[in-house]
Coordinates of all heavy atoms in Angstrom, one line a residue:
M1414 N 0.9 -1.2 0.0 CA 0.0 0.0 0.0 C 0.9 1.2 0.0 O 1.8 1.3 0.8 CB -0.9 0.0 1.2 CG -2.2 0.7 1.1 SD -3.2 0.6 2.6 CE -4.3 -0.7 2.2
D1415 N 0.6 2.2 -0.9 CA 1.4 3.4 -0.9 C 1.0 4.4 0.2 O 0.0 4.2 0.9 CB 1.4 4.0 -2.3 CG 0.0 4.6 -2.7 OD1 -0.9 4.7 -1.8 OD2 -0.2 4.8 -3.9
G1416 N 1.8 5.5 0.3 CA 1.5 6.5 1.3 C 0.2 7.1 1.3 O -0.5 7.3 2.3
R1417 N -0.3 7.5 0.1 CA -1.6 8.1 -0.1 C -2.7 7.1 0.3 O -3.7 7.5 1.0 CB -1.9 8.6 -1.5 CG -1.2 9.9 -1.9 CD -1.7 10.3 -3.2 NE -0.8 11.3 -3.8 CZ -1.0 11.9 -4.9 NH1 -2.1 11.7 -5.6 NH2 -0.1 12.8 -5.3
S1418 N -2.6 5.9 0.0 CA -3.5 4.9 0.3 C -3.6 4.6 1.9 O -4.7 4.5 2.4 CB -3.3 3.5 -0.4 OG -3.4 3.7 -1.8
L1419 N -2.4 4.6 2.5 CA -2.3 4.4 4.0 C -3.0 5.6 4.6 O -3.8 5.4 5.6 CB -0.9 4.4 4.4 CG -0.2 3.0 4.1 CD1 1.3 3.1 4.5 CD2 -0.8 1.9 4.9
L1420 N -2.7 6.8 4.2 CA -3.3 8.0 4.8 C -4.8 8.0 4.6 O -5.6 8.2 5.5 CB -2.7 9.3 4.1 CG -3.4 10.6 4.6 CD1 -3.1 10.8 6.1 CD2 -2.9 11.8 3.8
A1421 N -5.3 7.7 3.4 CA -6.8 7.6 3.1 C -7.4 6.6 4.0 O -8.5 6.9 4.6 CB -7.0 7.3 1.7
W1422 N -6.8 5.4 4.1 CA -7.4 4.3 4.9 C -7.5 4.8 6.4 O -8.5 4.7 7.1 CB -6.5 3.1 4.8 CG -6.8 2.0 5.7 CD1 -6.7 1.8 7.0 CD2 -7.4 0.7 5.2 NE1 -7.1 0.6 7.4 CE2 -7.6 -0.1 6.3 CE3 -7.8 0.3 4.0 CZ2 -8.1 -1.4 6.3 CZ3 -8.3 -1.0 3.9 CH2 -8.5 -1.8 5.0
N1423 N -6.4 5.3 6.9 CA -6.4 5.7 8.3 C -7.2 6.9 8.7 O -7.8 7.0 9.8 CB -4.9 5.9 8.8 CG -4.2 4.5 8.9 OD1 -4.7 3.6 9.6 ND2 -3.1 4.4 8.2
L1424 N -7.2 7.9 7.8 CA -8.1 9.1 8.0 C -9.5 8.6 8.2 O -10.2 9.0 9.2 CB -8.0 10.1 6.9 CG -6.9 11.1 6.9 CD1 -7.0 12.0 5.7 CD2 -7.1 12.0 8.2
R1425 N -10.0 7.8 7.3 CA -11.4 7.4 7.3 C -11.6 6.5 8.5 O -12.6 6.6 9.2 CB -11.8 6.7 6.0 CG -13.3 6.2 6.1 CD -13.8 5.7 4.9 NE -14.1 6.9 4.0 CZ -14.6 6.8 2.8 NH1 -14.7 5.6 2.2 NH2 -14.8 7.8 2.1
R1426 N -10.7 5.6 8.8 CA -10.8 4.6 9.9 C -11.0 5.4 11.2 O -11.9 5.1 12.0 CB -9.6 3.7 10.0 CG -9.5 2.8 11.2 CD -8.2 2.0 11.2 NE -7.0 2.8 11.3 CZ -6.5 3.3 12.4 NH1 -7.2 3.1 13.6 NH2 -5.4 3.9 12.4
I1427 N -10.1 6.3 11.5 CA -10.1 7.1 12.7 C -11.3 8.0 12.8 O -12.1 8.1 13.8 CB -8.8 7.9 12.9 CG1 -7.6 7.0 13.0 CG2 -8.9 8.8 14.1 CD1 -6.3 7.7 12.8
R1428 N -11.6 8.7 11.7 CA -12.7 9.6 11.7 C -14.0 8.9 11.9 O -14.9 9.4 12.7 CB -12.7 10.4 10.3 CG -13.8 11.4 10.2 CD -13.6 12.1 8.8 NE -13.9 11.3 7.7 CZ -15.1 10.8 7.3 NH1 -16.1 11.1 8.0 NH2 -15.2 10.0 6.3
V1429 N -14.3 7.8 11.2 CA -15.5 7.1 11.3 C -15.7 6.5 12.7 O -16.7 6.5 13.3 CB -15.7 6.1 10.2 CG1 -16.8 5.1 10.4 CG2 -15.8 6.8 8.8
A1430 N -14.6 5.9 13.2 CA -14.6 5.3 14.5 C -15.0 6.3 15.6 O -15.7 5.9 16.6 CB -13.3 4.7 14.9
R1431 N -14.7 7.5 15.4 CA -15.0 8.6 16.4 C -16.3 9.3 16.0 O -16.7 10.2 16.7 CB -13.9 9.6 16.4 CG -12.6 8.9 17.0 CD -11.5 9.9 17.2 NE -10.4 9.1 17.7 CZ -9.3 9.8 18.1 NH1 -9.1 11.0 17.9 NH2 -8.3 9.0 18.6
G1432 N -16.9 9.0 14.9 CA -18.2 9.6 14.5 C -18.0 11.0 14.1 O -18.9 11.8 14.2
I1433 N -16.9 11.4 13.5 CA -16.6 12.7 13.1 C -16.9 12.9 11.6 O -16.4 12.1 10.8 CB -15.1 13.1 13.4 CG1 -14.8 13.0 14.8 CG2 -14.8 14.5 12.9 CD1 -13.3 13.1 15.2
S1434 N -17.6 13.9 11.2 CA -17.9 14.1 9.8 C -16.7 14.7 9.1 O -15.8 15.2 9.7 CB -19.1 15.0 9.6 OG -18.7 16.3 10.0
Q1435 N -16.6 14.6 7.8 CA -15.6 15.2 7.0 C -15.6 16.7 7.3 O -14.6 17.3 7.4 CB -15.7 14.9 5.5 CG -15.2 13.6 5.1 CD -15.3 13.4 3.6 OE1 -15.9 14.2 2.9 NE2 -14.6 12.4 3.1
E1436 N -16.8 17.3 7.3 CA -17.0 18.7 7.5 C -16.4 19.2 8.8 O -15.6 20.2 8.9 CB -18.4 19.1 7.4 CG -18.7 20.6 7.5 CD -20.1 20.9 7.2 OE1 -21.0 20.1 7.0 OE2 -20.4 22.2 7.2
R1437 N -16.6 18.4 9.9 CA -16.1 18.7 11.2 C -14.6 18.6 11.3 O -13.9 19.5 11.8 CB -16.7 17.8 12.3 CG -16.3 18.1 13.7 CD -17.0 19.2 14.3 NE -16.0 20.3 14.6 CZ -16.4 21.5 14.9 NH1 -17.6 21.8 15.1 NH2 -15.5 22.4 15.2
L1438 N -14.0 17.5 10.7 CA -12.6 17.4 10.8 C -11.9 18.4 9.9 O -10.9 19.0 10.3 CB -12.2 16.0 10.3 CG -10.7 15.7 10.2 CD1 -10.0 15.9 11.5 CD2 -10.5 14.2 9.7
A1439 N -12.5 18.7 8.8 CA -11.9 19.7 7.9 C -11.9 21.1 8.6 O -10.9 21.8 8.6 CB -12.7 19.9 6.6
F1440 N -13.0 21.4 9.3 CA -13.0 22.7 10.1 C -12.0 22.7 11.2 O -11.2 23.7 11.3 CB -14.4 22.9 10.7 CG -14.6 24.1 11.5 CD1 -14.8 25.3 10.9 CD2 -14.5 24.0 12.9 CE1 -14.9 26.5 11.7 CE2 -14.6 25.2 13.7 CZ -14.8 26.4 13.0
D1441 N -11.9 21.6 11.9 CA -10.9 21.5 13.0 C -9.5 21.6 12.6 O -8.6 22.1 13.3 CB -11.1 20.2 13.8 CG -12.4 20.2 14.6 OD1 -13.0 21.3 14.8 OD2 -12.8 19.1 15.1
A1442 N -9.2 21.1 11.3 CA -7.8 21.1 10.8 C -7.6 22.4 10.0 O -6.5 22.6 9.5 CB -7.6 19.9 9.9
G1443 N -8.6 23.2 9.7 CA -8.4 24.4 9.0 C -8.3 24.2 7.5 O -7.5 24.9 6.8
I1444 N -9.0 23.2 6.9 CA -8.9 23.0 5.5 C -10.3 22.9 5.0 O -11.3 22.8 5.7 CB -8.1 21.7 5.2 CG1 -8.8 20.4 5.7 CG2 -6.7 21.8 5.6 CD1 -8.1 19.1 5.3
D1445 N -10.4 22.9 3.6 CA -11.7 22.8 3.0 C -12.2 21.3 3.0 O -11.4 20.4 2.9 CB -11.6 23.2 1.5 CG -12.9 23.4 0.9 OD1 -13.6 24.4 1.1 OD2 -13.3 22.4 0.1
R1446 N -13.5 21.1 3.2 CA -14.0 19.7 3.2 C -13.8 19.0 2.0 O -13.5 17.8 2.0 CB -15.6 19.8 3.5 CG -16.1 18.4 3.9 CD -17.4 18.0 3.3 NE -17.7 18.5 1.9 CZ -17.4 17.7 0.8 NH1 -16.8 16.6 0.9 NH2 -17.7 18.2 -0.3
S1447 N -13.8 19.6 0.8 CA -13.6 18.9 -0.4 C -12.2 18.4 -0.5 O -11.9 17.4 -1.1 CB -14.0 19.8 -1.6 OG -13.2 20.9 -1.7
Y1448 N -11.2 19.2 0.1 CA -9.8 18.7 0.1 C -9.7 17.5 0.9 O -9.0 16.6 0.6 CB -8.9 19.9 0.6 CG -7.5 19.6 0.5 CD1 -6.8 19.7 -0.8 CD2 -6.7 19.1 1.6 CE1 -5.5 19.3 -0.9 CE2 -5.4 18.8 1.5 CZ -4.8 18.9 0.2 OH -3.4 18.6 0.1
L1449 N -10.3 17.5 2.1 CA -10.3 16.3 3.0 C -10.9 15.1 2.3 O -10.3 14.0 2.3 CB -11.1 16.6 4.3 CG -11.1 15.4 5.3 CD1 -9.7 15.0 5.7 CD2 -12.0 15.7 6.4
G1450 N -12.0 15.3 1.5 CA -12.5 14.2 0.7 C -11.5 13.7 -0.3 O -11.4 12.5 -0.5
G1451 N -10.8 14.6 -0.9 CA -9.7 14.3 -1.9 C -8.6 13.4 -1.2 O -8.1 12.5 -1.8
L1452 N -8.3 13.8 0.0 CA -7.3 12.9 0.8 C -7.9 11.5 1.0 O -7.1 10.6 0.8 CB -7.0 13.6 2.1 CG -6.2 14.9 2.1 CD1 -6.2 15.5 3.5 CD2 -4.8 14.7 1.5
E1453 N -9.1 11.4 1.3 CA -9.7 10.1 1.6 C -9.9 9.3 0.3 O -10.0 8.1 0.3 CB -11.0 10.2 2.3 CG -10.9 10.6 3.8 CD -12.1 10.5 4.6 OE1 -13.1 10.0 4.1 OE2 -12.0 10.8 5.8
R1454 N -10.0 10.0 -0.9 CA -10.1 9.3 -2.2 C -8.8 9.2 -2.8 O -8.7 8.7 -3.9 CB -11.0 10.2 -3.1 CG -12.5 10.1 -2.7 CD -13.3 10.8 -3.8 NE -12.8 12.1 -4.3 CZ -13.1 13.2 -3.6 NH1 -13.9 13.3 -2.6 NH2 -12.6 14.4 -4.1
R1455 N -7.7 9.6 -2.2 CA -6.3 9.5 -2.7 C -6.0 10.4 -3.9 O -5.2 10.0 -4.7 CB -6.0 8.0 -3.0 CG -6.1 7.1 -1.8 CD -5.9 5.7 -2.1 NE -6.4 5.2 -3.4 CZ -7.7 4.6 -3.4 NH1 -8.4 4.5 -2.4 NH2 -8.1 4.1 -4.6
T1456 N -6.8 11.5 -4.1 CA -6.5 12.4 -5.2 C -5.7 13.6 -4.8 O -5.3 14.3 -5.7 CB -7.8 12.8 -5.9 OG1 -8.6 13.5 -4.9 CG2 -8.6 11.6 -6.4
E1457 N -5.5 13.8 -3.5 CA -4.7 14.9 -3.1 C -3.4 14.5 -2.4 O -3.3 13.3 -1.9 CB -5.5 15.8 -2.1 CG -6.8 16.4 -2.6 CD -6.6 17.5 -3.6 OE1 -5.4 18.0 -3.7 OE2 -7.5 17.8 -4.3
N1458 N -2.4 15.3 -2.4 CA -1.1 15.0 -1.9 C -0.8 16.0 -0.8 O -0.4 17.1 -1.1 CB 0.0 15.1 -3.0 CG 1.3 14.5 -2.6 OD1 1.4 13.7 -1.6 ND2 2.3 14.9 -3.3
P1459 N -0.9 15.7 0.5 CA -0.8 16.6 1.6 C 0.7 16.9 1.9 O 1.5 16.1 1.7 CB -1.5 15.9 2.8 CG -1.2 14.5 2.5 CD -1.3 14.3 1.0
T1460 N 0.8 18.1 2.6 CA 2.2 18.4 3.1 C 2.3 17.8 4.5 O 1.3 17.4 5.2 CB 2.3 19.9 3.2 OG1 1.4 20.4 4.2 CG2 2.1 20.6 1.9
I1461 N 3.5 17.8 5.0 CA 3.8 17.3 6.4 C 3.0 18.3 7.4 O 2.5 17.8 8.4 CB 5.3 17.3 6.7 CG1 6.0 16.3 5.8 CG2 5.6 17.1 8.2 CD1 5.5 14.8 6.2
D1462 N 3.0 19.6 7.1 CA 2.3 20.5 8.0 C 0.8 20.2 8.0 O 0.3 20.2 9.1 CB 2.5 22.0 7.4 CG 3.9 22.5 7.6 OD1 4.6 21.9 8.5 OD2 4.3 23.4 6.9
L1463 N 0.2 19.8 7.0 CA -1.2 19.4 7.0 C -1.4 18.1 7.8 O -2.3 18.0 8.5 CB -1.7 19.3 5.6 CG -3.2 18.8 5.5 CD1 -4.1 19.8 6.2 CD2 -3.6 18.7 4.1
L1464 N -0.5 17.2 7.6 CA -0.6 15.9 8.4 C -0.5 16.2 9.9 O -1.2 15.6 10.7 CB 0.5 14.9 7.9 CG 0.4 14.4 6.5 CD1 1.6 13.5 6.2 CD2 -0.9 13.7 6.3
D1465 N 0.4 17.2 10.2 CA 0.4 17.6 11.6 C -0.9 18.1 12.1 O -1.3 17.8 13.2 CB 1.6 18.6 11.8 CG 2.9 18.1 11.9 OD1 3.1 16.9 12.3 OD2 3.9 18.8 11.6
R1466 N -1.5 19.0 11.3 CA -2.8 19.6 11.7 C -3.9 18.5 11.8 O -4.7 18.5 12.7 CB -3.2 20.7 10.7 CG -2.3 21.9 10.8 CD -2.8 23.2 10.1 NE -3.7 23.1 9.1 CZ -3.5 23.5 7.8 NH1 -2.3 24.0 7.5 NH2 -4.4 23.4 6.9
L1467 N -3.9 17.6 10.9 CA -4.9 16.5 10.9 C -4.7 15.6 12.1 O -5.7 15.3 12.8 CB -4.9 15.7 9.6 CG -5.4 16.3 8.4 CD1 -5.0 15.5 7.1 CD2 -6.9 16.5 8.5
S1468 N -3.5 15.3 12.4 CA -3.2 14.4 13.6 C -3.6 15.1 14.9 O -4.1 14.6 15.8 CB -1.8 13.9 13.6 OG -0.8 15.0 13.9
G1469 N -3.3 16.5 14.9 CA -3.7 17.3 16.0 C -5.2 17.3 16.2 O -5.8 17.2 17.3
A1470 N -5.9 17.5 15.1 CA -7.4 17.6 15.1 C -8.0 16.3 15.6 O -9.0 16.2 16.3 CB -8.0 18.0 13.8
L1471 N -7.4 15.2 15.2 CA -7.9 13.8 15.5 C -7.3 13.4 16.9 O -7.7 12.3 17.4 CB -7.5 12.8 14.4 CG -8.2 12.9 13.1 CD1 -7.6 12.1 12.1 CD2 -9.7 12.5 13.3
Q1472 N -6.4 14.1 17.4 CA -5.7 13.8 18.7 C -5.0 12.4 18.6 O -5.3 11.6 19.5 CB -6.7 13.9 19.9 CG -7.2 15.3 20.0 CD -8.2 15.5 21.1 OE1 -8.8 14.5 21.6 NE2 -8.4 16.7 21.6
V1473 N -4.3 12.2 17.6 CA -3.5 10.9 17.4 C -2.1 11.3 17.0 O -1.9 12.3 16.5 CB -4.1 10.0 16.4 CG1 -5.5 9.5 16.7 CG2 -4.1 10.6 15.0
P1474 N -1.1 10.4 17.3 CA 0.2 10.6 16.9 C 0.3 10.7 15.3 O -0.5 9.9 14.7 CB 1.0 9.5 17.4 CG 0.2 8.8 18.4 CD -1.3 9.2 18.1
L1475 N 1.2 11.4 14.8 CA 1.3 11.5 13.3 C 1.5 10.2 12.7 O 0.9 9.9 11.7 CB 2.4 12.4 13.0 CG 2.8 12.7 11.5 CD1 1.5 13.2 10.8 CD2 4.0 13.6 11.3
A1476 N 2.2 9.3 13.3 CA 2.5 7.9 12.8 C 1.2 7.1 12.6 O 1.1 6.3 11.8 CB 3.5 7.2 13.7
E1477 N 0.2 7.4 13.4 CA -1.1 6.7 13.4 C -1.7 6.9 12.0 O -2.5 6.1 11.5 CB -2.0 7.1 14.5 CG -3.3 6.3 14.6 CD -3.0 4.8 15.0 OE1 -1.9 4.5 15.5 OE2 -4.0 4.0 14.7
L1478 N -1.5 8.1 11.3 CA -2.1 8.4 10.0 C -1.4 7.5 8.9 O -2.0 7.4 7.8 CB -1.9 9.8 9.7 CG -2.7 10.8 10.6 CD1 -2.5 12.2 10.2 CD2 -4.2 10.5 10.6
L1479 N -0.3 6.9 9.2 CA 0.4 6.1 8.2 C 0.5 4.6 8.7 O 1.4 3.9 8.1 CB 1.8 6.7 7.9 CG 1.7 8.1 7.3 CD1 3.1 8.7 7.1 CD2 1.0 8.1 5.9
R1480 N -0.3 4.2 9.6 CA -0.2 2.8 10.1 C -0.6 1.9 9.1 O -1.6 2.1 8.4 CB -1.2 2.7 11.3 CG -1.2 1.3 11.9 CD -2.2 1.2 13.1 NE -3.6 1.2 12.7 CZ -4.2 0.2 12.2 NH1 -3.7 -1.0 12.1 NH2 -5.5 0.3 11.9
V1481 N 0.1 0.8 8.9 CA -0.2 -0.3 8.0 C -1.4 -1.1 8.6 O -1.3 -1.6 9.7 CB 1.0 -1.2 7.7 CG1 0.6 -2.3 6.7 CG2 2.1 -0.3 7.1
P1482 N -2.5 -1.3 7.8 CA -3.6 -2.1 8.3 C -3.1 -3.6 8.6 O -2.3 -4.1 7.9 CB -4.6 -2.1 7.2 CG -4.1 -1.1 6.2 CD -2.7 -0.8 6.5
A1483 N -3.7 -4.2 9.6 CA -3.5 -5.6 9.9 C -4.0 -6.4 8.8 O -5.0 -6.1 8.1 CB -4.1 -5.9 11.3
K1484 N -3.3 -7.6 8.6 CA -3.8 -8.5 7.6 C -5.3 -8.9 7.8 O -5.6 -9.2 8.9 CB -2.9 -9.7 7.6 CG -3.1 -10.6 6.4 CD -2.1 -11.7 6.4 CE -2.4 -12.5 5.1 NZ -1.3 -13.5 4.9
G1485 N -6.1 -8.7 6.8 CA -7.5 -9.0 6.9 C -8.4 -7.9 7.4 O -9.6 -8.1 7.6
E1486 N -7.8 -6.8 7.8 CA -8.5 -5.7 8.3 C -9.5 -5.2 7.3 O -9.1 -5.0 6.1 CB -7.6 -4.6 8.8 CG -8.3 -3.5 9.6 CD -7.3 -2.5 10.2 OE1 -6.1 -2.8 10.3 OE2 -7.8 -1.4 10.6
V1487 N -10.7 -5.0 7.6 CA -11.8 -4.6 6.7 C -11.6 -3.1 6.4 O -11.4 -2.3 7.3 CB -13.2 -4.9 7.2 CG1 -14.3 -4.4 6.3 CG2 -13.3 -6.4 7.5
R1488 N -11.8 -2.7 5.1 CA -11.8 -1.3 4.7 C -12.8 -0.5 5.5 O -14.0 -0.9 5.6 CB -12.0 -1.2 3.2 CG -11.9 0.2 2.6 CD -12.0 0.2 1.1 NE -11.7 1.4 0.6 CZ -10.4 1.9 0.4 NH1 -9.4 1.1 0.7 NH2 -10.2 3.0 -0.2
P1489 N -12.4 0.7 6.0 CA -13.4 1.5 6.8 C -14.6 1.9 5.9 O -14.4 2.4 4.8 CB -12.6 2.7 7.2 CG -11.1 2.4 6.9 CD -11.1 1.3 5.9
K1490 N -15.8 1.9 6.4 CA -17.0 2.3 5.7 C -17.1 3.8 6.0 O -16.7 4.3 7.1 CB -18.2 1.6 6.3 CG -18.1 0.1 6.1 CD -18.5 -0.3 4.7 CE -18.6 -1.9 4.7 NZ -18.2 -2.4 3.4
P1491 N -17.8 4.5 5.1 CA -18.1 5.9 5.4 C -19.2 6.1 6.4 O -19.9 5.1 6.7 CB -18.6 6.5 4.0 CG -19.0 5.3 3.2 CD -18.2 4.1 3.8
L1492 N -19.3 7.2 7.0 CA -20.3 7.5 8.0 C -21.7 7.5 7.2 O -21.7 7.9 6.1 CB -20.2 8.8 8.7 CG -19.1 8.9 9.8 CD1 -19.1 10.4 10.3 CD2 -19.4 8.0 10.9
R1493 N -22.7 7.2 7.9 CA -24.0 7.3 7.3 C -24.3 8.8 6.9 O -24.0 9.7 7.7 CB -25.1 6.8 8.3 CG -26.2 6.1 7.6 CD -27.2 5.6 8.6 NE -28.2 6.7 8.8 CZ -29.0 6.9 9.7 NH1 -29.1 6.0 10.7 NH2 -29.9 7.9 9.7
A1494 N -24.9 9.0 5.8 CA -25.2 10.4 5.4 C -26.4 11.0 6.1 O -27.2 10.2 6.7 CB -25.5 10.4 3.8
G1495 N -26.4 12.3 6.1 CA -27.5 12.9 6.8 C -27.2 13.4 8.2 O -26.1 13.2 8.7
R1496 N -28.1 14.2 8.7 CA -27.9 14.7 10.0 C -28.1 13.7 11.1 O -29.0 12.8 11.0 CB -28.8 15.9 10.3 CG -28.5 17.1 9.3 CD -29.4 18.3 9.8 NE -29.1 19.4 8.9 CZ -28.2 20.3 9.1 NH1 -27.6 20.3 10.3 NH2 -28.1 21.3 8.3
K1497 N -27.4 13.9 12.2 CA -27.6 13.0 13.4 C -28.9 13.4 14.1 O -29.2 14.6 14.1 CB -26.5 13.1 14.3 CG -25.2 12.5 13.8 CD -24.1 12.7 14.8 CE -22.8 12.1 14.2 NZ -21.7 12.2 15.2
P1498 N -29.6 12.4 14.6 CA -30.8 12.8 15.4 C -30.4 13.6 16.6 O -29.4 13.4 17.2 CB -31.5 11.5 15.8 CG -30.4 10.4 15.5 CD -29.4 11.0 14.6
P1499 N -31.3 14.5 17.1 CA -31.0 15.3 18.2 C -30.8 14.4 19.5 O -31.4 13.4 19.6 CB -32.2 16.2 18.4 CG -33.1 16.0 17.3 CD -32.6 14.8 16.5
S1500 N -29.8 14.8 20.3 CA -29.5 14.0 21.5 C -30.4 14.4 22.7 O -30.9 15.4 22.9 CB -28.1 14.2 22.0 OG -27.2 14.2 21.0

């Protein structure tokens, strides 16, 4: 798996596991939501500075964004579309 694929896999894995929307993560990292979507689709090439901001917004070590998935690990699914019901 190349670097962009690892980043895309781990961004989505962490984001979905925490129930964070692309819009929220993009806002917290100070980037456009469409750019974050491009990172998850492997069409964008981020800088180290951006990776630092994303890891800070997700509160994970930078290395976690490039973690190699365990053998047999299932590809992360996207969050369900639409607004969350009020709590």
Side-chain angles (χ1 to χ4, degrees):
M1414 203 178 266
D1415 65 15
R1417 281 189 198 184
S1418 296
L1419 287 174
L1420 176 63
W1422 177 286
N1423 288 305
L1424 271 177
R1425 180 169 283 176
R1426 175 182 61 82
I1427 297 165
R1428 184 179 63 72
V1429 170
R1431 295 182 180 184
I1433 301 170
S1434 68
Q1435 281 185 345
E1436 186 172 3
R1437 179 81 244 174
L1438 179 55
F1440 178 81
D1441 290 347
I1444 62 173
D1445 190 81
R1446 190 219 42 88
S1447 63
Y1448 187 78
L1449 180 63
L1452 291 172
E1453 288 191 3
R1454 288 188 312 275
R1455 302 177 315 270
T1456 60
E1457 298 292 347
N1458 190 21
T1460 64
I1461 295 294
D1462 291 336
L1463 177 58
L1464 294 178
D1465 279 336
R1466 292 195 335 243
L1467 288 167
S1468 69
L1471 289 168
Q1472 298 178 340
V1473 297
L1475 180 59
E1477 187 66 19
L1478 296 179
L1479 298 174
R1480 180 183 70 82
V1481 176
K1484 189 172 184 170
E1486 192 172 342
V1487 179
R1488 183 173 190 81
K1490 302 279 187 212
L1492 283 179
R1493 214 179 91 196
R1496 296 187 180 266
K1497 293 182 182 179
S1500 317

